[in-house]
Amino acid sequence: MLIFLAYLGLAAFQILIIMPIETVMVERNVAVVSLLYLPHAVRVLGAWMVGPKSILALIPASICVYFVTRPETGSLTQADFIIPMVGALCAPVAFELMRFVRIDVYPRLTGVISWRTLVFAGLLSSIINSFFSTLFLEGRFPIEDTFNVLTRFIIGDVMGLVVVLFVLVGLLKVFRRFASV
């Protein structure tokens, strides 16, 4: 439930705050992809903490956000159901692919976190998401913008993850400081 609510909360912040600012600054393909997509952090952190079971929260959250932000392009297509599924599955799939090649990113009882490996998992999941989402978004943006859309997916997802990680680390430091007083 926490993953579902965090995803919706960051998506609302994305839609209400970040997208209007980005629309003024960039003006192209903002409805398709953002340069700072904060909900990707929830995908990655949810998959990291809960594992593949995170899809139980990510799928409904991703579907809700997709249909709220879906531009009016006419009747629903198969892509309208596949794209949110790709977004929901990209992080758990990336973590499982990494585990398959013996890179274990999941939390350990020691409490030591490999931040670089966690961000790499976020990058891998973003690559999966960008490739398949762009494939199914075909026709919703000019063909000459394909590389632009692919790179903006990756940049937006990774930047969203990094920003949320910095905020969480800062909040943890503040919490520890006040907890020790």
Side-chain angles (χ1 to χ4, degrees):
M1 186 62 139
L2 179 63
I3 294 170
F4 180 81
L5 293 174
Y7 193 95
L8 293 182
L10 284 180
F13 185 81
Q14 180 78 31
I15 294 163
L16 299 172
I17 308 294
I18 295 174
M19 280 184 73
I21 294 169
E22 194 170 345
T23 301
V24 170
M25 294 173 62
V26 179
E27 296 181 13
R28 262 184 100 174
N29 296 322
V30 172
V32 175
V33 63
S34 174
L35 286 171
L36 182 65
Y37 192 67
L38 300 176
H40 185 66
V42 177
R43 294 176 189 154
V44 173
L45 293 173
W48 176 66
M49 291 188 292
V50 182
K53 290 185 280 185
S54 64
I55 64 173
L56 298 175
L58 290 172
I59 288 174
S62 185
I63 289 170
C64 288
V65 169
Y66 181 81
F67 283 105
V68 166
T69 60
R70 180 181 176 269
E72 291 299 322
T73 57
S75 61
L76 295 175
T77 64
Q78 289 178 335
D80 289 319
F81 296 97
I82 294 172
I83 292 169
M85 297 297 275
V86 167
L89 295 173
C90 67
V93 166
F95 276 84
E96 290 302 307
L97 283 173
M98 289 176 70
R99 184 163 57 176
F100 179 74
V101 296
R102 307 229 190 278
I103 302 172
D104 190 13
V105 184
Y106 292 110
R108 300 174 190 268
L109 295 176
T110 61
V112 177
I113 300 170
S114 172
W115 296 106
R116 281 186 234 130
T117 310
L118 185 60
V119 172
F120 177 75
L123 172 65
L124 179 60
S125 67
S126 179
I127 291 168
I128 293 168
N129 183 34
S130 67
F131 177 76
F132 286 104
S133 293
T134 302
L135 179 70
F136 288 106
L137 280 169
E138 177 191 10
R140 297 190 186 175
F141 56 86
I143 193 76
E144 61 270 7
D145 286 353
T146 301
F147 182 75
N148 182 8
V149 170
L150 274 169
T151 55
R152 284 179 58 188
F153 256 113
I154 295 169
I155 291 168
D157 286 352
V158 173
M159 289 304 297
L161 173 62
V162 169
V163 165
V164 170
L165 285 176
F166 276 129
V167 168
L168 288 176
V169 167
L171 288 173
L172 284 172
K173 285 184 178 188
V174 168
F175 178 74
R176 284 183 184 157
R177 185 173 297 144
F178 284 114
S180 66
V181 172

